[in-house]
């Protein structure tokens, strides 16, 4: 059997149950760092040879990435990396975020409990963990995932499932981090998240609303240069 023994992925020993996760991480990091460029075809056989596994975990990982909107599958063509957002898509999405996420932060401040706040603190700490022994591309793509979790956790606390599910289905944070690879994006986001946490710690709904609005506006302004 292909998975009867431990497999090696980029020099990392993986037990059978971890093979798909390892393949998923490998392809995810390539997509987020634009090593696999937007719109490029993703040949399963080539990836299988490069990573050193059979085609089965490649297909399973690509199926997961398709659900997240990072890859697309076409009949008789196969998989390809999702295209970058257009400027119009970007502007529309940020206009929508400004309508709903500040309100989500306000509701989260109202509903905040010590346990929920601790979860947010842990999520923020995970984003700030830049000393992990990984390369710059991997650190950046992990930050994108952690950023998505942080924002989703706020909306979960807010308790409005319509807002949360709508934004989740857009996979906002994974797509915005594919627009521009830059440490400024991560550092400034960390500072803005801390302002959100200050508002949550103080139990101030209006401060949370304002901090989220400013965060989204600044995120929009940082990333607009990707379309120049």
């Amino acid at each position: 059997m292909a998975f009867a023994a431990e497999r090696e992925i980029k020099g990392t020993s993986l037990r059978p149950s971890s093979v798909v996760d390892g393949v998923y991480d490998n392809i995810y990091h390539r997509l987020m760092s634009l090593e696999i460029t937007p719109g490029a075809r993703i040949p399963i056989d080539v990836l299988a040879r490069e990573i050193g596994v059979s085609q089965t975990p490649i297909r399973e990982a690509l199926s997961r990435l398709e659900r997240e909107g990072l890859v697309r599958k076409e009949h008789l063509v196969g998989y390809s990396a999702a295209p970058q957002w257009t400027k119009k898509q970007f502007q529309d999405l940020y206009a929508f975020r400004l309508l709903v996420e500040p309100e989500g932060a306000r509701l989260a401040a109202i509903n905040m409990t010590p346990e929920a706040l601790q979860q947010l603190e842990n999520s923020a700490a995970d984003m700030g963990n830049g000393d992990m022994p990984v390369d710059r591309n991997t650190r950046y793509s992990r930050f994108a995932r952690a950023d998505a979790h942080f924002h989703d956790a706020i909306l979960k606390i807010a308790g409005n499932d319509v807002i949360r599910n709508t934004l989740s289905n857009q996979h906002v944070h994974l797509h915005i981090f594919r627009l521009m690879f830059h440490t400024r994006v991560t550092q400034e986001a960390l500072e803005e998240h801390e302002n959100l946490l200050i508002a949550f710690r103080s139990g101030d709904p209006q401060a949370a609303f304002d901090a989220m609005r400013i965060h989204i506006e600044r995120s929009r302004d940082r990333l607009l240069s990707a379309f120049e």
Side-chain angles (χ1 to χ4, degrees):
M1 294 291 291
F3 303 109
E6 291 186 348
R7 307 300 300 269
E8 296 289 331
I9 295 181
K10 293 293 184 181
T12 300
S13 182
L14 296 172
R15 292 189 179 277
S17 61
S18 301
V19 171
V20 175
D21 289 341
V23 171
Y24 168 88
D25 287 342
N26 184 296
I27 302 172
Y28 168 73
H29 295 320
R30 296 189 192 198
L31 289 164
M32 295 302 294
S33 66
L34 305 184
E35 179 184 335
I36 299 177
T37 58
R41 286 197 60 201
I42 305 177
I44 291 176
D45 57 336
V46 173
L47 273 181
R49 288 196 299 271
E50 290 178 354
I51 298 176
V53 296
S54 72
Q55 293 188 16
T56 299
I58 299 289
R59 293 180 187 279
E60 291 184 29
L62 288 173
S63 179
R64 285 171 57 182
L65 290 161
E66 182 185 14
R67 291 194 295 271
E68 293 182 325
L70 288 175
V71 302
R72 293 184 175 181
K73 184 181 182 182
E74 294 183 56
H75 183 58
L76 300 179
V77 176
Y79 287 98
S80 61
Q84 291 281 36
W85 278 346
T86 65
K87 187 175 182 178
K88 178 67 163 54
Q89 287 175 308
F90 174 86
Q91 291 174 325
D92 287 351
L93 198 285
Y94 267 83
F96 178 70
R97 291 187 70 189
L98 283 168
L99 287 172
V100 298
E101 286 198 70
E103 175 62 10
R106 188 187 72 83
L107 292 173
I110 293 172
N111 296 337
M112 192 64 63
T113 64
E115 295 76 18
L117 179 59
Q118 186 58 57
Q119 290 177 358
L120 286 180
E121 299 274 12
N122 293 341
S123 181
D126 184 42
M127 275 184 287
N129 186 4
D131 297 325
M132 295 180 295
V134 294
D135 61 87
R136 184 166 172 258
N137 288 1
T138 301
R139 192 157 51 243
Y140 184 83
S141 56
R142 284 181 179 175
F143 184 96
R145 179 77 65 192
D147 185 57
H149 288 164
F150 179 77
H151 280 260
D152 183 66
I154 292 172
L155 294 177
K156 181 179 180 180
I157 297 165
N160 187 314
D161 291 338
V162 174
I163 294 176
R164 184 186 179 201
N165 292 335
T166 301
L167 282 170
S168 177
N169 290 338
Q170 296 297 318
H171 309 291
V172 174
H173 298 85
L174 300 185
H175 284 288
I176 63 176
F177 277 90
R178 290 174 73 224
L179 290 172
M180 179 187 298
F181 185 97
H182 202 298
T183 54
R184 174 192 165 199
V185 174
T186 60
Q187 184 55 45
E188 293 185 3
L190 285 174
E191 295 168 2
E192 291 154 18
H193 288 169
E194 178 58 27
N195 290 334
L196 275 164
L197 288 172
I198 290 171
F200 291 139
R201 291 175 194 134
S202 64
D204 189 334
Q206 187 59 49
F209 182 100
D210 293 339
M212 182 64 83
R213 176 182 54 78
I214 291 170
H215 172 43
I216 295 172
E217 288 175 342
R218 289 180 177 173
S219 172
R220 177 198 61 200
D221 295 344
R222 278 192 295 271
L223 294 166
L224 265 175
S225 61
F227 300 97
E228 293 177 354

